[in-house]
Amino acid sequence: MHEMGIVYHVADEVEKIAAQNDICHIGSVTLQIGEVTGVIFDYMSDLWGWVSDKSSLLKGSRLLYEQIPAVTLCKSCGQRYSTVQSGRQCPHCGSWDTVLVQGNEYIIKQIEADS
Amino acid sequence: MSKVRVIDVHTGIFDENNRIADEIRRQNQADQTFLVNIMASPGAGKTSVLLRTIRELKRQYRIGVMEADIDYAIDAEKMEREDIPAIQVHTGGECAMDAAMTRQALSEFSSKDFDLIFLENVGNLVCPAENDTGASVNVEILSVPEGDDKPLKYPLMFQVCQVVLINKIDTKKFFAFDDEAVKARIHALNPDAKVFFLSAKTGEGFDQWTGWLKAQLQLRS
């Protein structure tokens, strides 16, 4: 259930941003989550319902998300490939000397204020 | 009539956590308190490793333990039976300690009265790796019965740790555990990680681990 901790962090951050921008109610929050973070978005969405219900700022708001695909760079041949398809070993040259360049992000992209 | 306003945020979800974690590290450095975050799966032997480590060091250093669990206080009670100052932190269902919880626990524990504090994190190889607690050093305990493949399955945990303790080496005759393979897998993820092989039951290998820990404590004073 690492989704629970993440949802709390998001709610805290959104409360702060709302206070700084004189926002009274949030319509939606959009996250960008990397493909290999292991986050199950359906869980996040259920937890958001439960957490947001306790806050007048967030009550009824929607949690949306965009997935950032995971990409690995091979340091031997310089090519990039899909991490989820091929894992740690480069499918082009067989090297294990590879590094994840994107796909482990946890980002609050934007919030939509409706009042 | 309601107007919709869109605000671009582009903030990392863990940014605030990481900011608090850096504050904790600065404060602990000023107080000369060394905070060790111990992470492992349930049953890897976190409490037994800690008890033996503390028995070996407690004459030289003032040591405290913060036990983090979802519920119950059995680990803190074990520490108190040995006269080791301990507090139990309940994470309220969360699967790891975060920096804010750690800061609160440290302040309730009057952390500056200690040279060395162990944070025994919730037993889990996923969430504790994602949450920087502000520890001076992260230690992962992997026990022989869990298998030498764990670095492949939980890479982030092995990336964020400066030290990996391979525990329960006294059980090696019962398991196919390859020391060289596990070291190679850990170093592929984290070339600087220190790997120590030990047994909390027999005490084998503890000198290297406690020696390393003492060297870190001396560096700070």
Side-chain angles (χ1 to χ4, degrees), chain A residues 34-36 67-72 81-84 100-104:
Chain A
E35 193 179 8
V36 293
Q67 192 181 66
I68 299 178
V71 175
T72 295
Y81 64 87
S82 156
T83 313
V84 170
L100 184 74
V101 288
Q102 63 170 61
N104 58 355

Side-chain angles (χ1 to χ4, degrees), chain A residues 1-2 4-6 8-10 13 16-17 21 23 32 37 88 106-114, chain B residues 2-14 16-17 92-95 98 126-127 130-131 155 189:
Chain A
M1 285 298 273
H2 70 157
M4 185 157 147
I6 297 166
Y8 278 129
H9 285 303
V10 172
E13 195 61 38
K16 235 173 15 185
I17 296 161
N21 291 280
I23 293 166
Q32 288 177 311
T37 53
R88 237 160 249 287
Y106 292 96
I107 295 165
I108 302 173
K109 184 190 177 194
Q110 63 179 33
I111 59 181
E112 211 178 58
D114 57 14
Chain B
S2 74
K3 277 188 306 198
V4 174
R5 234 169 100 198
V6 174
I7 296 171
D8 288 322
V9 183
H10 289 285
T11 303
I13 293 172
F14 290 106
E16 175 64 9
N17 187 71
E94 285 199 59
C95 52
D98 63 19
V126 182
C127 325
E130 287 169 348
N131 284 277
L189 294 164

Side-chain angles (χ1 to χ4, degrees), chain A residues 88, chain B residues 125-126 146 148-158 185 189:
Chain A
R88 237 160 249 287
Chain B
L125 294 183
V126 182
E146 291 169 71
D148 54 30
D149 59 351
K150 291 298 164 290
L152 302 173
K153 295 186 177 181
Y154 304 95
L156 185 62
M157 177 55 80
F158 292 86
R185 285 165 185 163
L189 294 164

Side-chain angles (χ1 to χ4, degrees), chain B residues 37-156:
Chain B
N37 178 23
I38 304 276
M39 300 181 278
S41 33
K46 290 184 291 301
T47 312
S48 319
V49 167
L50 276 184
L51 282 170
R52 189 177 272 275
T53 305
I54 295 167
R55 276 181 213 134
E56 291 191 12
L57 297 176
K58 71 177 178 189
R59 261 175 238 101
Q60 274 175 281
Y61 302 102
R62 299 167 301 167
I63 304 175
V65 180
M66 304 197 302
E67 298 285 356
D69 280 296
I70 287 172
D71 201 358
Y72 217 61
I74 191 162
D75 287 342
E77 287 163 9
K78 280 186 207 161
M79 295 292 160
E80 279 167 359
R81 274 204 294 278
E82 302 223 8
D83 289 326
I84 301 163
I87 58 167
Q88 183 76 47
V89 183
H90 285 158
T91 59
E94 285 199 59
C95 52
M97 285 292 279
D98 63 19
M101 283 190 259
T102 306
R103 182 166 64 183
Q104 194 188 345
L106 285 169
S107 91
E108 282 177 27
F109 203 33
S110 32
S111 60
K112 59 180 181 300
D113 299 340
F114 295 98
D115 303 309
L116 174 59
I117 294 179
F118 291 102
L119 167 61
E120 186 177 339
N121 216 316
V122 180
N124 173 338
L125 294 183
V126 182
C127 325
E130 287 169 348
N131 284 277
D132 187 347
T133 58
S136 319
V137 63
N138 287 325
V139 176
E140 143 77 357
I141 303 176
L142 171 65
S143 65
V144 166
E146 291 169 71
D148 54 30
D149 59 351
K150 291 298 164 290
L152 302 173
K153 295 186 177 181
Y154 304 95
L156 185 62

Side-chain angles (χ1 to χ4, degrees), chain A:
Chain A
M1 285 298 273
H2 70 157
E3 288 78 6
M4 185 157 147
I6 297 166
V7 164
Y8 278 129
H9 285 303
V10 172
D12 288 348
E13 195 61 38
V14 172
E15 296 265 0
K16 235 173 15 185
I17 296 161
Q20 286 159 4
N21 291 280
D22 295 322
I23 293 166
C24 313
H25 191 258
I26 300 286
S28 70
V29 177
T30 306
L31 307 181
Q32 288 177 311
I33 305 284
E35 193 179 8
V36 293
T37 53
V39 166
I40 299 170
F41 192 74
D42 283 353
Y43 289 174
M44 293 257 285
S45 199
D46 287 350
L47 288 162
W48 183 257
W50 180 74
V51 170
S52 60
D53 202 45
K54 294 174 174 47
S55 147
S56 60
L57 176 79
L58 302 173
K59 205 176 177 72
S61 64
R62 288 173 309 151
L63 189 67
L64 309 171
Y65 100 122
E66 296 168 4
Q67 192 181 66
I68 299 178
V71 175
T72 295
L73 169 72
C74 173
K75 291 203 261 181
S76 299
C77 72
Q79 296 204 63
R80 287 163 187 253
Y81 64 87
S82 156
T83 313
V84 170
Q85 271 172 30
S86 304
R88 237 160 249 287
Q89 189 177 19
C90 174
H92 304 291
C93 73
S95 168
W96 288 88
D97 190 12
T98 58
V99 58
L100 184 74
V101 288
Q102 63 170 61
N104 58 355
E105 298 81 358
Y106 292 96
I107 295 165
I108 302 173
K109 184 190 177 194
Q110 63 179 33
I111 59 181
E112 211 178 58
D114 57 14
S115 65

